[in-house]
Amino acid sequence: MTSVVIAAHNEAAVLGRTLRTLLADAGPGEFEVVVVANGCTDGTADLARSVPGVTVLELPEAGKPGALNAGDAAVTGFPRIYLDADIGLDAAAVRALAAALDGPGVLAAAPGRRLDTTGRPLLVRAYYAINRRHPAYRNALFGRGAIALSAAGRARFGRFPDVVADDLFLDSQFTDAEKREVTSVATVVATPRRTVDLLRRLGRVRAGNATLRAGDDQVRPARRTSWLVDVVLPRPWLLPAGVCYAGLTVLAAASARRPGTRERWGRDESSRRPEGDPMTGAGS
């Protein structure tokens, strides 16, 4: 049995779609799905309970690490998939991720990623023109919204630490040879719909990554010039986008240094659209 853990904080707008996509073609008892509604003030828990085959836990306080730990304690199966509440992953994709873990020495797997920039403003599109080509995402576990671990992979660490960058933490637990990017599967990651939302998210992510790196020397170091050396210089036509990328990165770095950035919820709300909205897309 494959276990799926979904940490959900006020995700009523998108969680129903995620659960139905996951379970639509699943066989009876094939997946063990646990949704951990943490600090919710909307109908997240009730919505999850309305989907047959889903177990729901409720935590009074918001916090993804606590939700992941609670979900881990509740599930029993492997492989184990940690899925973001707004990311669509169907049964075939789950099977493909699980199959990748059967490879020799493979302990962790993640899908490819497809960035949805439809209708986004110029600066957002420019930023992701560089981001989608950034080598940091090659054979990485972060930035997809879905990570699969084998039993041996999960045994690499104890509880999830109280950090923002949970996917970067998981990535740091494994060597490149122990990870596998399953390119036959791709999650659709919706990008922010406004530049201000992008900056808010980048500031939060940068602050979270810096905190994790400061306390864990296993985490891959950031290569600040990679966007230029590895992306723009081999593709000179991307220079205008690179200038935008650099400018937004500098602004995000300044935001990350402010004490309040580390405490604020950094989720991009603009990409979380209710079902039925023609602009709906999975967020990150």
Side-chain angles (χ1 to χ4, degrees):
M1 181 187 296
T2 297
S3 294
V4 182
V5 176
I6 303 175
H9 171 69
N10 287 344
E11 298 282 13
V14 295
L15 181 60
R17 180 177 62 247
T18 296
L19 292 173
R20 284 192 293 273
T21 299
L22 175 66
L23 295 170
D25 297 317
E30 182 179 6
F31 301 151
E32 177 187 33
V33 181
V34 172
V35 171
V36 185
N38 57 100
C40 293
T41 57
D42 65 356
T44 294
D46 290 338
L47 186 150
R49 288 192 188 93
S50 72
V51 180
V54 175
T55 298
V56 180
L57 305 179
E58 289 191 73
L59 301 181
E61 295 185 359
K64 191 173 182 182
L68 291 174
N69 286 322
D72 251 348
V75 295
T76 59
F78 284 99
R80 189 161 298 172
I81 294 180
Y82 302 95
L83 180 64
D84 284 359
D86 63 326
I87 292 293
L89 202 67
D90 62 19
V94 171
R95 295 179 193 122
L97 291 174
L101 296 173
D102 291 333
V106 180
L107 303 181
R113 63 177 191 145
R114 183 165 65 84
L115 299 172
D116 180 9
T117 58
T118 306
R120 274 43 169 192
L122 177 62
L123 285 176
V124 174
R125 296 199 311 272
Y127 177 87
Y128 284 104
I130 305 300
N131 178 273
R132 75 171 71 249
R133 297 172 171 89
H134 202 292
Y137 291 91
R138 294 174 192 157
N139 200 37
L141 301 180
F142 49 81
R144 275 89 170 159
I147 297 173
L149 301 182
S150 67
R154 181 60 187 86
R156 275 290 170 86
F157 62 98
R159 291 171 61 82
F160 280 90
D162 188 14
V163 296
V164 172
D166 57 280
D167 52 357
L168 183 59
F169 164 76
L170 287 178
D171 183 82
S172 72
Q173 303 302 304
F174 308 100
T175 66
D176 284 347
E178 293 171 332
K179 294 180 290 188
R180 188 74 73 246
E181 181 179 1
V182 183
T183 55
S184 62
V185 176
T187 54
V188 179
V189 179
T191 57
R193 297 181 180 277
R194 301 182 303 171
T195 305
V196 66
D197 295 309
L198 172 60
L199 283 170
R200 186 178 299 114
R201 180 177 186 277
L202 291 178
R204 175 68 167 171
V205 168
R206 194 177 181 106
N209 290 353
T211 299
L212 181 61
R213 288 189 174 102
D216 188 347
D217 57 11
Q218 286 184 289
V219 181
R220 66 168 75 188
R223 290 183 56 202
R224 301 300 185 198
T225 61
S226 186
W227 68 271
L228 176 62
V229 175
D230 299 315
V231 181
V232 174
L233 291 183
R235 307 169 184 85
W237 62 89
L238 286 175
L239 180 58
V243 171
C244 297
Y245 179 94
L248 290 168
T249 300
V250 168
L251 291 173
S255 173
R257 288 191 289 269
R258 299 179 193 135
T261 299
R262 299 173 188 271
E263 282 75 45
R264 288 197 303 266
W265 187 257
R267 185 173 74 182
D268 167 39
E269 300 290 350
S270 71
S271 62
R272 281 167 163 78
R273 298 275 180 153
E275 292 187 74
D277 188 312
M279 300 295 285
T280 292
S284 173

